[in-house]
């Protein structure tokens, strides 16, 4: 989002510059400060709008709007979601889907699971809903996503690491630790169920149908307890829905920030500051 000085605001600012006896260079610096003040105010309004319309937005998304600051030589400020690197999805792509509507892109974990042959083409993943027992203990971050450490363990358990940055395939000792458990988490074994998504039950190493998992919904499941008595879903395999409905409206952000009025106030303040008034 670009902010430019409107003719009305600019005329008022020029009049104040003359009244205070400021040079053009001094005024330009004051204008740049006022633009940057307004840019950060709009950033706050964007974050407030995200909290209002999104369900538990992650800190990654909330921090994504960045302010490209104005200078005396370039009196324009830009506020936009910015990808800062790492393994996360570009927040601009996420917000584009939420602004204009459309299907979300595959997460990096989904790409890895597909490359490993675990997640079928045309499917994405979802944390179990409340009617399936809710998130698997210790798995979620409270915002609808798997915790990073848990996701690493899960993918490495299935030897799904295969792209740059994923080099932690689990060792035999690692399997033993997961199966044995810790004081904070019970021992468990993970397995994949496909239901009818691949034509029926999975085939065992003996070439027989494994009917034990045929009734389970597609996804990654965990077995724990004495004799494997407790079976719970960890990550469901789901068909993408129709996509995000448009929800994030930049017009609402502009109204929330009242950008032009705020800019006018900040210009008057910054000009008085420059004049020592």
């Amino acid at each position: 989002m670009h902010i430019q000085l409107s003719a009305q605001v600019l005329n008022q600012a020029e009049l104040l510059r003359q009244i205070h006896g400021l040079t053009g260079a001094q005024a330009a610096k004051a204008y740049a400060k006022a633009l940057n003040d307004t840019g950060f105010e709009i950033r706050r309004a964007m974050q407030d709008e995200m909290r209002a319309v999104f369900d538990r937005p992650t800190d990654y998304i909330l921090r994504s709007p960045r302010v490209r600051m104005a200078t005396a030589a370039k009196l324009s400020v830009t506020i936009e979601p910015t990808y800062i690197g790492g393994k996360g999805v570009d927040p601009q792509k996420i917000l584009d889907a939420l602004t204009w509507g459309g299907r979300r892109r595959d997460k990096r974990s989904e790409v890895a699971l597909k490359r490993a042959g675990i997640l079928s083409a045309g499917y994405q993943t979802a944390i179990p809903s409340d009617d399936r027992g809710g998130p698997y203990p210790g798995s979620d971050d409270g915002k609808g996503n798997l915790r990073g450490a848990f996701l690493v363990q899960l993918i490495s358990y299935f030897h799904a690491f295969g792209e740059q940055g994923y080099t932690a395939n689990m060792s035999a000792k690692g399997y033993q630790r997961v199966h044995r458990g810790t004081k904070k988490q019970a021992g468990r074994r993970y397995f994949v169920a496909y239901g009818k998504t691949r034509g029926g039950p999975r085939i065992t190493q003996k070439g027989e149908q494994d009917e034990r998992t045929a009734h389970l919904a597609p996804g990654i499941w965990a077995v724990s307890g004495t004799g494997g008595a407790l079976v719970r879903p960890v990550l469901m395999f789901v068909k993408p829905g129709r996509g995000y409905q448009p929800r994030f409206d930049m017009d609402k952000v502009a109204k929330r920030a009242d950008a032009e009025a705020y800019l006018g106030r900040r210009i008057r303040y910054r000009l008085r500051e420059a004049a020592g008034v």
Side-chain angles (χ1 to χ4, degrees):
M1 180 175 181
H2 296 273
I3 299 178
Q4 295 179 336
L5 299 178
S6 69
Q8 181 179 4
V9 173
L10 188 58
N11 289 338
Q12 293 175 353
E14 179 61 19
L15 178 61
L16 287 171
R17 181 191 73 81
Q18 294 175 4
I19 291 175
H20 292 309
L22 297 173
T23 65
Q26 290 173 321
K29 290 181 181 180
Y31 295 160
K33 289 182 179 179
L35 284 168
N36 293 330
D37 292 342
T38 307
F40 284 104
E41 179 67 12
I42 290 176
R43 182 179 187 267
R44 285 188 288 271
M46 288 181 69
Q47 293 171 325
D48 289 342
E49 183 70 9
M50 289 176 185
R51 294 186 183 97
V53 301
F54 299 158
D55 179 24
R56 297 173 298 174
T58 63
D59 291 339
Y60 176 73
I61 290 297
L62 289 174
R63 291 197 304 266
S64 66
R66 297 300 174 96
V67 179
R68 295 184 182 179
M69 298 175 67
T71 65
K74 184 179 180 181
L75 295 176
S76 178
V77 64
T78 302
I79 309 95
E80 62 183 3
T82 303
Y83 179 57
I84 57 176
K87 297 181 180 180
V89 178
D90 185 344
Q92 182 66 64
K93 295 177 181 177
I94 297 173
L95 290 174
D96 278 348
L98 292 168
T99 301
W100 305 110
R103 173 187 164 182
R104 73 163 173 83
R105 300 170 70 90
D106 284 347
K107 299 176 182 177
R108 190 178 177 90
S109 59
E110 292 166 338
V111 172
L113 289 170
K114 285 180 178 178
R115 287 182 176 175
I118 295 172
L119 180 62
S120 301
Y123 281 78
Q124 293 180 328
T125 59
I127 286 180
S129 56
D130 290 340
D131 62 341
R132 293 187 180 276
Y136 189 75
S139 68
D140 75 316
D141 62 1
K143 296 180 181 292
N145 299 296
L146 291 181
R147 290 192 304 108
F150 187 88
L151 179 61
V152 167
Q153 181 193 89
L154 192 63
I155 295 180
S156 65
Y157 186 92
F158 291 108
H159 288 270
F161 287 118
E163 51 189 284
Q164 185 176 4
Y166 281 164
T167 57
N169 285 326
M170 193 167 287
S171 65
K173 289 184 178 180
Y175 281 108
Q176 292 174 5
R177 283 194 297 270
V178 173
H179 296 165
R180 185 171 57 247
T182 64
K183 291 182 180 179
K184 294 184 178 180
Q185 190 169 38
R188 64 266 180 223
R189 294 175 181 270
Y190 299 119
F191 67 93
V192 180
Y194 291 106
K196 298 180 180 180
T197 63
R198 293 190 176 181
R202 72 180 181 90
I203 303 300
T204 67
Q205 291 181 344
K206 295 181 179 180
E208 302 170 344
Q209 288 190 341
D210 186 355
E211 298 292 347
R212 294 172 301 175
T213 66
H215 66 288
L216 298 176
I220 296 175
W221 294 71
V223 178
S224 60
T226 304
L230 182 61
V231 180
R232 287 192 58 174
V234 176
L235 197 62
M236 309 309 300
F237 298 164
V238 297
K239 279 284 191 181
R242 294 182 179 180
Y244 295 118
Q245 296 298 315
R247 290 184 293 175
F248 188 69
D249 190 341
M250 284 302 296
D251 288 337
K252 289 184 180 179
V253 172
K255 290 179 182 178
R256 185 188 288 271
D258 196 10
E260 185 166 328
Y262 186 85
L263 175 60
R265 293 195 297 271
R266 297 309 295 176
I267 285 178
R268 291 192 290 274
Y269 170 79
R270 290 301 186 180
L271 286 172
R272 291 197 302 270
E273 179 184 60
V277 176

